[in-house]
Amino acid sequence: LFRGDLAVPPEWVYTRFLAKLIRHLHEVDAMFDALVDELEELLPGFGRRLAADSKAVESHGNPLSKDAAEEKAQVDGRRDRDADWGVKTYKGVRKDGTTWEKVIRWFGYKLHLLVDAEYELPLAYLVTKASASDCTHLLPLVKTLQERHPELVERAEYLSSDKGYDSKENNR
């Protein structure tokens, strides 16, 4: 009855599902847009307060050097050729006045999101390599929203983000 770890499908099932899903990305985007349209009808003020941020998405592919990875990929097939290394640094000041810094590194991607800040629901998304700068992806997110849901861009009163998206072009 209870299968424990045996209830979880093997790794290759997820890989195969993801490959099929990627082939139908147009349909996935259409479903996403239909859900945004439905939320717009159901939620008062939806799209008035926007926020942008990114999230690290780790790859379980092989981050070895290209030559070593090629050899390993022939053995286990786990080389992720589209991913790369990302770094995020957090800094602050403690109550006693001393500074602190925390550095996070990951191999994979970044998910950039434009969301309704009041309802905490996504409006547009973009997946990039982990090393991609946040500030260069804010305007493409807004452009995607403009193309797919122009009424939400017209309704927007505020757009906030962290300093990773700060640039003269974005502020303009």
Side-chain angles (χ1 to χ4, degrees), residues 86-156:
V87 178
K88 179 110 179 174
T89 304
Y90 299 91
K91 297 178 182 181
V93 179
R94 295 182 187 91
K95 288 183 181 179
D96 66 3
T98 60
T99 60
W100 59 268
E101 180 176 286
K102 181 178 180 181
V103 178
I104 308 282
R105 289 178 40 91
W106 74 98
F107 179 75
Y109 303 90
K110 250 188 210 180
L111 172 62
H112 302 267
L113 286 171
L114 186 61
V115 302
D116 177 286
E118 183 177 350
Y119 293 105
E120 299 179 6
L121 292 168
L123 302 172
Y125 65 92
L126 180 63
V127 179
T128 63
K129 291 184 175 193
S131 63
S133 167
D134 286 348
C135 73
T136 60
H137 292 92
L138 179 61
L139 294 180
L141 281 171
V142 173
K143 182 178 179 185
T144 297
L145 188 62
Q146 175 69 41
E147 291 169 355
R148 296 180 177 179
H149 306 281
E151 66 286 351
L152 289 178
V153 173
E154 289 297 319
R155 179 181 303 148

Side-chain angles (χ1 to χ4, degrees), residues 1-171:
L1 182 64
F2 297 103
R3 299 181 65 203
D5 287 348
L6 295 176
V8 177
E11 199 174 282
W12 63 266
V13 172
Y14 297 101
T15 303
R16 193 171 74 183
F17 173 72
L18 184 58
K20 288 182 177 186
L21 190 64
I22 288 171
R23 285 196 301 268
H24 299 282
L25 196 53
H26 180 72
E27 288 89 351
V28 172
D29 284 340
M31 288 187 284
F32 181 87
D33 289 337
L35 290 170
V36 170
D37 289 339
E38 192 172 331
L39 289 168
E40 186 179 359
E41 291 178 23
L42 295 173
L43 301 175
F46 187 66
R48 189 175 23 193
R49 295 178 180 269
L50 307 180
D53 205 356
S54 66
K55 173 72 176 149
V57 179
E58 290 189 36
S59 170
H60 294 286
N62 186 341
L64 296 174
S65 68
K66 186 175 182 180
D67 293 336
E70 291 299 327
E71 291 174 22
K72 184 160 177 55
Q74 292 174 2
V75 175
D76 69 10
R78 294 187 61 195
R79 175 69 181 146
D80 189 341
R81 298 176 192 277
D82 297 322
D84 70 357
W85 285 98
V87 178
K88 179 110 179 174
T89 304
Y90 299 91
K91 297 178 182 181
V93 179
R94 295 182 187 91
K95 288 183 181 179
D96 66 3
T98 60
T99 60
W100 59 268
E101 180 176 286
K102 181 178 180 181
V103 178
I104 308 282
R105 289 178 40 91
W106 74 98
F107 179 75
Y109 303 90
K110 250 188 210 180
L111 172 62
H112 302 267
L113 286 171
L114 186 61
V115 302
D116 177 286
E118 183 177 350
Y119 293 105
E120 299 179 6
L121 292 168
L123 302 172
Y125 65 92
L126 180 63
V127 179
T128 63
K129 291 184 175 193
S131 63
S133 167
D134 286 348
C135 73
T136 60
H137 292 92
L138 179 61
L139 294 180
L141 281 171
V142 173
K143 182 178 179 185
T144 297
L145 188 62
Q146 175 69 41
E147 291 169 355
R148 296 180 177 179
H149 306 281
E151 66 286 351
L152 289 178
V153 173
E154 289 297 319
R155 179 181 303 148
E157 297 175 9
Y158 305 96
L159 172 58
S160 58
S161 62
D162 63 19
K163 66 181 179 178
Y165 289 92
D166 195 23
S167 73
K168 288 180 182 180
E169 186 177 5
N170 288 343
N171 291 334

